[in-house]
Amino acid sequence: MDTIKNEFLTNGYTKIDQLFDNTEAEKLLEIYNGVLNDKEKTTHLRSDLAGLDETSKAIERITQIMRPSLVIPKILDHIAYKKALHYAKKLLGDDMELDFDMLINKAPRTNTPTPWHQDAAYWINLPDKRAVSCWIALDNVYESNGCMWFLPVPDQHILKHNNLPNGGALYCDTDTTNAIPVPLQVGGCTFHDGFTLHYSKGNTTNSQRRALILNFRPKEMIKLERNQGIDHTGVRKQRS
């Protein structure tokens, strides 16, 4: 664990070869696919990070569903959540808790990259900036179907970001010469902080590239977010 923690604190990311086994992966995939395929219940939580497809607006290229646990709460009982929280506490402290979950699916043969960005560019400014995202592979991932690439930001500041055309995700133009790809087997994962730049290529294969992302931050900061109307459902709620 010391090696993993030192790597994370030095580089802003680390890798766990197997967070859970194939049996647990199958259980999680059953729930995951149910959420992914239920467009009615996920309409208010769902978006395409690739932006609008001008050739066929019905095709989702990079499907993002925020807070899948709101749609199927039993997903919270899966061992992935418990194990990821265990590592989050070891990496950044015992006050870390689950802030939100998210699933991202890259459809087959879409070849649309997720651009370089920092997660913190999406978040409100909080006094305690500790945060860690666990990116869990539910398919074997490698460069051609969209494994994660990472690039540390040594002084942990937020770089300038812009929006993709057609209403897609944020992106950052920067020198990524020294970026490193991190292939994973099913059930493997990475942990990265909010300032580490990351990216994935498009999916040029005939299969999906499914990932579950769990984000953790200090319990008091989650309370502060919620008090400001931030619940990561894609909608900023008014305070009552």
Side-chain angles (χ1 to χ4, degrees):
M1 185 64 211
D2 287 344
T3 301
I4 292 171
K5 183 174 182 177
N6 289 337
E7 183 176 62
F8 176 81
L9 294 177
T10 301
N11 297 324
Y13 70 95
T14 190
K15 170 186 175 181
I16 306 293
D17 288 324
Q18 187 177 55
L19 190 65
F20 48 80
D21 61 25
N22 287 337
T23 299
E24 292 297 333
E26 289 175 5
K27 295 177 185 177
L28 184 53
L29 273 170
E30 183 178 356
I31 303 171
Y32 186 107
N33 289 335
V35 176
L36 183 63
N37 295 326
D38 194 337
K39 292 189 176 182
E40 182 178 350
K41 289 183 179 179
T42 62
T43 297
H44 63 300
L45 305 170
R46 191 181 195 105
S47 61
D48 186 348
L49 294 180
L52 295 177
D53 184 345
E54 295 302 327
T55 60
S56 176
K57 295 182 180 180
I59 297 175
E60 292 179 342
R61 292 173 287 171
I62 307 176
T63 303
Q64 178 191 60
I65 299 177
M66 299 299 299
R67 304 289 299 274
S69 56
L70 294 178
V71 180
I72 304 184
K74 70 178 181 180
I75 197 174
L76 293 169
D77 297 327
H78 191 273
I79 196 171
Y81 286 74
K82 180 179 180 179
K83 287 200 167 186
L85 177 59
H86 167 78
Y87 279 105
K89 289 177 179 289
K90 293 295 184 182
L91 292 173
L92 288 177
D94 287 339
D95 59 340
M96 303 300 285
E97 298 290 346
L98 179 69
D99 187 3
F100 63 91
D101 52 355
M102 168 176 61
L103 64 83
I104 297 180
N105 174 63
K106 286 200 170 186
R109 295 291 174 186
T110 48
N111 198 22
T112 304
T114 301
W116 284 104
H117 68 281
Q118 298 164 289
D119 289 340
Y122 287 95
W123 301 339
I124 62 172
N125 189 23
L126 294 170
D128 186 339
K129 303 187 188 314
R130 285 177 297 150
V132 57
S133 293
C134 178
W135 193 100
I136 303 168
L138 293 177
D139 295 290
N140 293 334
V141 293
Y142 31 88
E143 290 186 38
S144 61
N145 74 342
C147 74
M148 293 280 276
W149 292 65
F150 292 103
L151 183 66
V153 178
D155 52 355
Q156 291 201 326
H157 68 284
I158 301 175
L159 304 174
K160 181 181 178 181
H161 287 67
N162 298 294
N163 282 100
L164 285 174
N166 304 320
L170 293 177
Y171 72 94
C172 178
D173 283 324
T174 189
D175 180 6
T176 58
T177 304
N178 296 319
I180 296 174
V182 183
L184 293 169
Q185 300 293 308
V186 172
C189 71
T190 57
F191 288 86
H192 66 272
D193 65 26
F195 298 99
T196 299
L197 281 160
H198 51 288
Y199 150 95
S200 63
K201 293 182 178 180
N203 182 3
T204 61
T205 73
N206 292 320
S207 302
Q208 292 172 281
R209 192 233 60 185
R210 292 163 292 188
L212 175 68
I213 297 91
L214 309 179
N215 180 267
F216 303 90
R217 68 173 74 243
K219 184 176 181 179
E220 290 302 314
M221 295 302 98
I222 297 172
K223 288 182 180 179
L224 183 57
E225 280 185 327
R226 301 300 185 264
N227 287 338
Q228 295 191 35
I230 304 299
D231 65 359
H232 299 283
T233 60
V235 178
R236 185 184 177 93
K237 292 187 175 179
Q238 296 297 318
R239 293 180 65 180
S240 58

